[in-house]
Amino acid sequence: MRICKTLAATCLAFATLGAATQASAQGFIGASIGQSDIDEDITNGLITSGSVDGKDTAWKIYGGYMFNPHFGIESAYVDLGEVSYSGEFFGAAVTGGKVEVTGFNVAALGVWPINEQFSLFGKLGLFVWKTEASDFTQGLGAFSAEEDGSDISF
């Protein structure tokens, strides 16, 4: 609960600072929080059958710079939360499974102002991610593994 209150206070502080920063300069910072829903395919190779819960709280902290009213860049640290799983791996019971997903994103921003209060924007970038998996597999004991990679983000 303490972490939730701290995270909420941090998000509020970043949102306020981001609004003040955008009003006085072309740089910006901010934070966002929401829910991730990660596909159960992330557990391929970890369990052969069982249950997967891919929903968790996700958040990011970001900053960027607008070079002009139509083009800018943004970078972000992203935490997509944790996927929980349990089941079997070729007949051996698997319990306490979790996969944590984090990463960094860098993107170009395109902005089309509609009027002074409303703009449309789009992003295209690269998300560099890392997953950390751990569980307990019957007959094998504690298991952990890491994987990293990158994907196009938009």
Side-chain angles (χ1 to χ4, degrees), residues 7 10-12 14-15 29-33 59-62:
L7 185 58
T10 303
C11 289
L12 181 60
F14 277 124
I29 60 173
S32 62
I33 190 167
W59 58 272
K60 75 175 180 176
I61 297 174
Y62 59 92

Side-chain angles (χ1 to χ4, degrees), residues 32-63:
S32 62
I33 190 167
Q35 184 180 49
S36 61
D37 189 1
I38 299 172
D39 193 274
E40 65 183 43
D41 288 347
I42 197 168
T43 60
N44 287 349
L46 299 172
I47 57 175
T48 52
S49 65
S51 63
V52 178
D53 179 8
K55 291 186 178 180
D56 199 8
T57 301
W59 58 272
K60 75 175 180 176
I61 297 174
Y62 59 92

Side-chain angles (χ1 to χ4, degrees), residues 22 24 40 44 50 73 78-79 94 97 109 136:
Q22 283 187 343
S24 62
E40 65 183 43
N44 287 349
I73 58 170
V78 181
D79 185 327
V94 176
L109 303 175
F136 184 83

